[in-house]
Structure formats: structure tokens, C-alpha cells
Amino acid sequence: MIPSPGLPMVYEGLNNALKNFNSFCADRTSRIRDSFSPTRSTSAAGSESAASSTQSASTSGKEDYTVYRMPNSTAATPDDASVVDDRMDFGVSREEFRRIGKDTIEYIAEYHENIGKRRVVPAIEPGYLRDLMPHEAPKKPETFESVLEDFERLIMPGVTHWQHPRFHAYFPAGNSYPSLIANFLGDALGTVGFSWASCPAMTELELVVLHWYGKMIGLPPEFLPLTEGGRGGGVIQSSASECNFVSLLAARFEVMKELRKRFPFVEEGLLLSKLIAYCSKEAHSSVEKACMIGMVKLRILETDSKFRLRGETLRNAIQEDRNLGLIPFFVSTTLGTTSCCSFDVLSEIGPVATDNDIWLHVDAAYAGSGFICPENRHLLTGIEHAMSFNTNPNKWMLVHFDCSAMWVRDRFKLTQALVVDPLYLQHSWTEKSIDYRHWGIPLSRRFRALKLWFVIRMYGVEGLQKYIRNHIRLARRFETLLKADPIFEIVGDVQMGLVCFRMRGTEEVNQQLLTRLNSSGRIHMVPASLNNRFVIRFCVCAEHAADRDITIAYDIISQTARTILHESVAEPIEEDAELEELEETLGFDGMTLESPIGHSKSMDRHKSIERNKSVDRTPSLDKSDSDDLNRRHNESIATKRSFLVRMVSDPKCYNPKIVRHLHMANFRKISQDLYRDRSLMQTISYRPARLGSGGSGARTSDGPHFDDVDGQFGGPFGDEDDVPPPEVSQTGVQTPI
């Protein structure tokens, strides 16, 4: 072939292009290196030294992680470079990130320092943000200062401050600075750890910290990930709800595998319809949801007087269901229930589950972290019978959400129920490594182990134990304050950092108490229902909670409760002019004669009347009039309390705009309506007395009377002897003939 005369020109052009390309690569390498090492110069001489250092590092085999090196095999084009340069024109630069990062850290520190000056719960209504923000996203970039200003102006007024010293609702929300820093680093890495190969450090660290944590709370060695020759393992899930669900799926897969072997010709749907799971009525609602999604039956069992599931209850339920042709396969027990922090008797339930070959799951979402203190581990007795166990470090271990630790006795029984292994997720280390994508529902996973590792290392086991013990001590202190106050009662045992209490009164008066407390913005708590009784949950939540916080919380609760009690007896319900006149004369103020508060108030009021009156209008009262007044006053006091708490109770306890004080002008009108309605109901439900030895309609000389205890009319023949209610002239309702 004869060489073309233009070929040397082509070679010369390619040579120039390669020189230009090499010069471009050296320049880009220098820029990127200088961005990681701001103390280095950006001159051309620096570029040449960077190139030489890169070459020496590659030849020596030692990696310098402080210097970024452009791989030699990279074949970038000028077009690609121009795209990169264009992208640097928008967004946040590194220098700007350094500046706003410092401002953000300062804002967070100031927020935590002054959080006590904010309302605990927001004073807003649903939809408050729609009219305050634009209807479309901004087309032009905005400054960090304007965004942060709007954050404080728009977002903060709608935030419930979980880190507030007067936040005593739900459970503690971990928010320590070591965990916060770990979140910064994990988010900065931006890794997604669905498999070992996608980020080996993420998987390896998760194995180590779960081994540490499992030993800290006293789990048996067969649960720990790094036990030599063990089949157990641990994984960090997003929540306790997910732990409950995946453990139920593993149990369902295990029992269905056996049933398919025994009944190969029976339709799988029919076998599935026979499965039944168990939990107590105090178990978390996620157990019920897991059974709904898993399409299995759930039987909710009764608890004992301390709200605990007992072994005998479970044994009887299993036997009954087997007699009906059902197949028990799963039981979820709770150590530290959501409502009152009660503990199912695991030492009784465990042997029952083992004898019946049932998967036993233990949910210790809140209280599990308390087992790092040896004095609490007696509540863990029986854990050797469990197949799976979970607890949430993001609740009581100062770790940010989400972080729910779960351990299993046999990891292969868990993974075989969840394995899906497409080719694009496989790697060469599958046989020797753990792939956590087989341990849960989602594929993608965050670097959660990093924050748990930071917290354990920067607090130490002793520091975390001190934190847990302080919360338990403060809960006991709050319990002592309530027990010394006669208007309150404690419901259930106080074993961790949760106290359940209520006022001695009706359901309505306790609902009103919680309504007023939450609407005030000074404190925040949530209710629970225990044996159909309305109780208020007080949980110690703040990391640095102290005795002063408990005293302030008790004072707020006590003052509000006494205000409600005073209002419930201060205003007359019945429009009885004669009774009011006599009460004002004798100094009654809606309180019983024996009440020291009522007595002091009546004395003050009586002295005031004596000082201010110009004409003596006091009627002459003999002993019979005084006794009659006392009797009528005591008969009506129960009715007054009952009616008032029904009027002011409001289930919308989180919206302060709904809570309104009743004015005196409207109070008497409402009282009349309530009394009229009650009289109508008594008239409608009237049944004539049975014929007895006293003849038709016979009754004692006292006639019909009002029962002081339950506010019902009764007669001489007991509950079954219903007599007509007395005439009520002020409502116009007459006794029927």
C-alpha cells in the first residue's frame, strides 16, 4: 500500500491533540487535589509535583488517602470537562459549605440551649403551612440565609419539640451529639449498603456493634453475630414494626415448609388460613398490622392485674385453637409495653412456646436498652426460649432514628424467607460474607451502624448506664410525688422510666386534665387505656433531665388538676334559688363541709359578706334548717361533679384553639339543659315498683331518695325497686301519673 501524502499531517494533529489532552488532565488533577488539600498551591509547579507524587504513589503500592488521584485509565474528553465546569456554577461550593456548615452547627447548639423557652407543642391547625408558602418551587437559587430564616419563621412554629425538658410523651427520642456527628459523616459518604460488596465497611461495622450491643444487654451467645460456630446474627432494621413483621414472615415460612411436606396435595391458601398467632392486648399495634399483611389470624390474649401476659393464658389458648383445627405458629411477647411499660412473664411463656414448637419473638423496643444495667436483667429471664429479639437504640440509647437492633437465634431461618437474588446484586464474596438485603424488607440501607458505634465509644458502657439509671431514678421520684398527693393514683408498676397515673375521678375529668395540660404548651403527655380506664403516660425523655424538671412537671400537673377540681364543684348545677341563698349565707362555695379547702374558702367568703353588707339580710336558721341544707348539699355534690366534667371534656387535646373557658352567663343555661335532659331520661325509663309486702307502690316514709354514690334514684326495695324521680319544677318536667 502506498502511503498517503497527507498522513504525516494526521499524525502531527493527533500528537498535538494528545499533548493538549495530557496538559488538560494534569491541570484538572491539580485542581481536584488542591480542593482536598487547601494548604497546597495551585500553581503550575504544584501541578507538576502532583503528577510526580501520583506516579510515585502508584509505583510504591502505598495509598495516600489525603490526596485525590485521577486514575490513569480514565479517558475524559474536553466535552465531558466542560460539562463538569458548568455544573460547578450552581449548587453549593465547598467553601460555601464550610461557612454554612459552621452556621448550622451554631444554630443547632443554640436551639438545644434555649429549647426550654419554646412551646412544647405547636399552636397551629392542619394546613397552616399552605397559605404561608408559595404554590410553586422557586426557579432561581436562594441563599442559605433566606432558607434558614424561613425555617425558623415557618417550620419551627409547627414542630413538636421532642427534646424539650417538658416533653414527656411517647418515648425518648435519641438525639446525642455523637450520633448527630455520625449521621453527618454517614450522609456525607452517601453509600448504599444493600450487599457486602456495595460497601464492605457498612456490613462489617454492623456485625461488630451488634455483637457489642448484644453482650451489653445480656443476650445469650447463640444470638450474637460473632460467636464462633454460631448460627445466630444481628441486623439493624428501620423500626420495631419491621422487626415484628420480618420475624412473623420467618415463622410463617418455617411452618408452611413443614405443612407442605405433610400435606402436599392441599392448596397453600387453605393451609395459610389455618395459621394463628398470639399476642397480649397490651402488645404494640404493629403485631396486628404484621398479621394483616401476612394474611394470618391473630388472637389477642388477656393480661393479669399487672397488665402482663402469663404462660397459663397462652397454653390454654393454644389448646383451644388446636381443638378447633387451627395451627399455632407464632407468639409475640413484649418487655416494656407501650401503654404502661409492663413486662410479659417470659419465664412462663418461653417453655410453653418451646413445648409447642412455636416461634417466640420478644419485642423490647423501649425497655430493651435498660438491660445494659445488670439490676434490670431479671426481667429478661426466659430469653433463652426466644427465636428473635429486638430493641430500639433510637429510643433509650441516645441514637437518632432510625435504628432498631434485631437478633435471631438462627439467621438462616430468617434469610430463607426473604432471599431474592438477581444477577446484578451478586458478587464474588457471597459465600463468605453477610448480605443484609436478605434480612429485611427494603433493599437499600443507610449506614446506621456508624451512629451506634459513635455513641457506644464516646459515652462508654458506664456512661450509658449512668444515663439509664438517672431516668429510672427520676421516674421513681415523680411516682413518689404523685403517691403523696391524694388526688392522684398510680396505675401499674413503675419499673423503667415511665409512670402511668390518673386523677381520682371520672374518665371525663382525666381527659380534661390532659386537654388543658397539652393545650397550655408548657408540657406534653399522651394518654393510654388500661382495662378501659383513661390514664396519662409520663415518660422521662430528655437526655439531661434533672430533679428540677420533675418538680416543675409535677407542679404544672398538680396546679391544673386542682383548678379542675375547684371548677367542678364551684358552680351550682341546679337552679335552686333557696339553696344558693342558704349556701351564700353559711359560706358554702360548692365544697363539702368536711373539705379544708372548702372550709377556708367559705370562711373567707363569709367574712367578706359580713364586711360588705350594709343591711343584715341573714335569715334566722334553726338547727333543722341547717341540717336540711347539709343534706341537700351533699346529695347534689356528686351530680355537680359528673355534669361539669362532661361539659368541659374535649378529645381534641392537641388543639389549643378548641379549648375554651365557659363563661358564667352560659354556664347556668348549659346546667339547666343538662338537668332537663337527665330528668327526661329518668321519666322515660321509669318502671313501676313491683307488688310486694308493702302493697302497690309501697315505700318507706322517707319517700324517693337520691343515691349519693352513683347519682341514681332508688327506693326501699334496692336496685330493682325503681320509683319515679321527684318533681323538677325548674325544668317543667312533672312526675307521670
Side-chain angles (χ1 to χ4, degrees):
M1 180 179 296
I2 301 174
S4 173
L7 192 57
M9 298 178 61
V10 175
Y11 289 156
E12 183 179 359
L14 289 175
N15 188 29
N16 292 334
L18 289 174
K19 288 181 180 180
N20 292 335
F21 176 71
N22 290 335
S23 176
F24 168 78
C25 290
D27 181 64
R28 293 300 298 165
T29 300
S30 175
R31 290 185 185 181
I32 297 173
R33 183 208 61 206
D34 291 338
S35 66
F36 279 83
S37 301
T39 59
R40 302 287 297 271
S41 173
T42 59
S43 63
S47 301
E48 295 176 1
S49 62
S52 61
S53 62
T54 302
Q55 184 177 2
S56 61
S58 61
T59 56
S60 62
K62 297 180 180 180
E63 295 181 342
D64 183 6
Y65 290 96
T66 62
V67 178
Y68 182 86
R69 290 170 304 279
M70 183 74 72
N72 295 330
S73 60
T74 302
T77 63
D79 293 338
D80 296 335
S82 63
V83 172
V84 174
D85 289 340
D86 290 342
R87 289 177 181 175
M88 296 301 292
D89 292 337
F90 57 87
V92 177
S93 65
R94 293 187 182 91
E95 290 302 324
E96 189 177 2
F97 172 72
R98 290 187 177 96
R99 179 182 61 82
I100 66 178
K102 294 176 182 178
D103 293 342
T104 304
I105 293 294
E106 184 62 29
Y107 178 86
I108 294 173
E110 185 177 352
Y111 165 73
H112 285 157
E113 183 177 358
N114 300 311
I115 191 174
K117 299 178 182 179
R118 299 177 184 263
R119 288 178 55 99
V120 188
V121 291
I124 49 89
E125 293 182 349
Y128 86 99
L129 204 55
R130 297 177 199 161
D131 298 332
L132 299 178
M133 297 187 70
H135 289 217
E136 295 182 359
K139 294 183 179 180
K140 298 292 184 180
E142 299 183 25
T143 64
F144 168 77
E145 288 73 18
S146 64
V147 175
L148 187 61
E149 180 182 352
D150 285 346
F151 175 81
E152 178 64 36
R153 182 176 62 90
L154 302 175
I155 306 303
M156 276 299 186
V159 171
T160 298
H161 299 283
W162 283 58
Q163 310 306 319
H164 198 286
R166 240 68 69 207
F167 180 91
H168 299 289
Y170 310 111
F171 46 80
N175 191 356
S176 63
Y177 291 128
S179 177
L180 188 61
I181 294 171
N183 264 341
F184 285 165
L185 295 175
D187 291 342
L189 295 177
T191 57
V192 181
F194 48 79
S195 68
W196 184 91
S198 66
C199 185
M202 186 182 298
T203 300
E204 297 291 335
L205 184 62
E206 193 161 332
L207 290 170
V208 172
V209 296
L210 286 177
H211 189 83
W212 286 3
Y213 191 31
K215 293 182 69 174
M216 288 166 56
I217 63 180
L219 288 180
E222 51 266 28
F223 282 92
L224 304 180
L226 302 181
T227 299
E228 189 68 27
R231 296 175 61 89
V235 59
I236 299 179
Q237 309 282 18
S238 61
S239 66
S241 300
E242 186 177 351
C243 296
N244 282 322
F245 183 44
V246 297
S247 60
L248 181 134
L249 291 180
R252 190 188 70 173
F253 184 88
E254 191 69 16
V255 70
M256 287 296 293
K257 183 174 62 175
E258 296 297 326
L259 290 176
R260 281 191 291 266
K261 292 179 181 179
R262 293 174 55 189
F263 309 102
F265 303 107
V266 178
E267 185 179 355
E268 188 168 322
L270 180 59
L271 296 176
L272 191 63
S273 67
K274 298 293 184 180
L275 301 185
I276 185 168
Y278 303 91
C279 71
S280 79
K281 68 177 184 179
E282 300 300 333
H284 194 266
S285 60
S286 61
V287 180
E288 183 177 358
K289 181 178 289 188
C291 292
M292 290 171 55
I293 302 174
M295 297 184 293
V296 296
K297 295 180 176 62
L298 174 66
R299 181 168 178 179
I300 301 176
L301 305 177
E302 288 293 329
T303 57
D304 63 6
S305 60
K306 295 184 177 181
F307 313 105
R308 305 175 301 176
L309 178 62
R310 305 300 295 268
E312 188 64 25
T313 304
L314 177 63
R315 180 181 289 106
N316 294 337
I318 291 174
Q319 187 60 46
E320 291 174 3
D321 291 334
R322 281 188 170 156
N323 293 339
L324 294 174
L326 299 177
I327 304 172
F329 80 104
F330 180 80
V331 56
S332 178
T333 56
T334 309
L335 299 182
T337 58
T338 302
S339 57
C340 63
C341 199
S342 60
F343 291 77
D344 294 339
V345 187
L346 197 58
S347 59
E348 297 178 1
I349 299 173
V352 175
T354 301
D355 295 342
N356 290 273
D357 196 19
I358 293 177
W359 185 294
L360 174 61
H361 177 69
V362 179
D363 181 6
Y366 162 66
S369 297
F371 298 144
I372 67 174
C373 300
E375 62 269 23
N376 299 327
R377 290 181 190 166
H378 66 279
L379 299 168
L380 200 58
T381 303
I383 188 63
E384 62 274 7
H385 295 278
M387 288 295 296
S388 53
F389 174 90
N390 77 271
T391 185
N392 287 11
N394 59 254
K395 287 183 178 176
W396 212 13
M397 267 278 288
L398 300 172
V399 176
H400 282 85
F401 184 84
D402 54 352
C403 184
S404 184
M406 176 183 177
W407 294 266
V408 288
R409 181 185 297 273
D410 191 339
R411 63 180 180 270
F412 300 104
K413 290 184 177 180
L414 175 64
T415 56
Q416 69 181 354
L418 301 170
V419 167
V420 176
D421 199 20
L423 180 62
Y424 56 83
L425 295 178
Q426 297 177 12
H427 55 88
S428 58
W429 297 101
T430 301
E431 299 298 328
K432 294 184 178 181
S433 65
I434 294 289
D435 278 354
Y436 278 125
R437 59 192 170 91
H438 301 315
W439 292 60
I441 304 303
L443 171 65
S444 302
R445 309 178 74 251
R446 299 176 62 244
F447 204 161
R448 302 188 187 103
L450 199 62
K451 51 191 173 185
L452 183 57
W453 184 54
F454 264 62
V455 168
I456 293 177
R457 291 194 61 187
M458 297 186 70
Y459 280 88
V461 176
E462 293 182 356
L464 294 171
Q465 289 174 340
K466 182 179 180 180
Y467 157 75
I468 295 288
R469 286 169 178 150
N470 182 55
H471 274 204
I472 296 176
R473 181 187 65 83
L474 294 176
R476 299 286 173 82
R477 172 175 170 76
F478 184 74
E479 178 191 19
T480 301
L481 293 174
L482 291 181
K483 283 185 175 180
D485 195 329
I487 69 174
F488 295 110
E489 61 176 318
I490 302 296
V491 182
D493 295 336
V494 179
Q495 301 188 81
M496 291 292 180
L498 178 68
V499 181
C500 291
F501 71 97
R502 55 179 279 127
M503 291 178 62
R504 298 183 187 273
T506 62
E507 303 299 289
E508 289 81 5
V509 76
N510 282 278
Q511 293 174 7
Q512 184 187 1
L513 173 61
L514 185 61
T515 297
R516 292 201 179 185
L517 290 171
N518 287 337
S519 62
S520 70
R522 302 170 63 195
I523 193 171
H524 186 39
M525 296 176 292
V526 292
S529 178
L530 297 174
N531 286 342
N532 297 321
R533 300 178 70 199
F534 185 94
V535 301
I536 302 174
R537 299 171 70 259
F538 180 93
C539 187
V540 182
C541 295
E543 176 185 354
H544 302 291
D547 293 78
R548 178 177 178 271
D549 299 315
I550 300 302
T551 302
I552 294 175
Y554 167 75
D555 289 341
I556 294 173
I557 296 170
S558 178
Q559 292 170 9
T560 306
R562 279 169 168 75
T563 301
I564 292 174
L565 284 180
H566 171 67
E567 291 178 355
S568 67
V569 295
E571 308 299 338
I573 297 298
E574 302 179 32
E575 292 292 335
D576 193 329
E578 179 186 357
L579 178 60
E580 294 179 21
E581 181 73 21
L582 292 177
E583 284 186 347
E584 183 169 338
T585 301
L586 295 182
F588 296 156
D589 193 19
M591 304 292 291
T592 59
L593 297 179
E594 294 78 7
S595 171
I597 300 177
H599 180 68
S600 62
K601 286 177 62 65
S602 63
M603 292 299 294
D604 294 340
R605 182 178 172 186
H606 181 64
K607 292 178 181 178
S608 177
I609 294 175
E610 290 295 328
R611 286 195 303 267
N612 297 330
K613 67 181 180 180
S614 58
V615 180
D616 186 5
R617 299 182 298 134
T618 305
S620 59
L621 297 175
D622 56 16
K623 186 176 185 301
S624 62
D625 292 333
S626 180
D627 293 342
D628 181 64
L629 176 61
N630 290 340
R631 180 181 61 80
R632 296 173 63 185
H633 182 272
N634 292 333
E635 286 177 351
S636 62
I637 198 68
T639 307
K640 296 175 185 178
R641 287 196 182 100
S642 175
F643 281 166
L644 187 97
V645 296
R646 285 168 54 194
M647 283 188 290
V648 299
S649 63
D650 188 358
K652 300 179 179 64
C653 58
Y654 303 114
N655 192 342
K657 293 187 178 181
I658 296 185
V659 181
R660 296 289 184 265
H661 295 287
L662 297 177
H663 299 289
M664 180 62 69
N666 298 329
F667 193 93
R668 295 181 183 273
K669 178 65 170 61
I670 298 175
S671 302
Q672 287 180 339
D673 294 341
L674 289 170
Y675 193 85
R676 181 190 63 227
D677 295 343
R678 184 178 183 280
S679 301
L680 285 171
M681 292 300 299
Q682 290 174 340
T683 302
I684 295 172
S685 61
Y686 162 66
R687 292 182 292 117
R690 295 182 303 175
L691 293 177
S693 58
S696 176
R699 57 188 178 187
T700 62
S701 59
D702 292 338
H705 61 275
F706 190 82
D707 189 357
D708 292 343
V709 178
D710 57 6
Q712 300 297 325
F713 289 95
F717 303 109
D719 295 337
E720 295 182 357
D721 179 31
D722 297 327
V723 297
E727 295 184 0
V728 187
S729 58
Q730 65 267 30
T731 60
V733 179
Q734 302 295 325
T735 304
I737 300 177

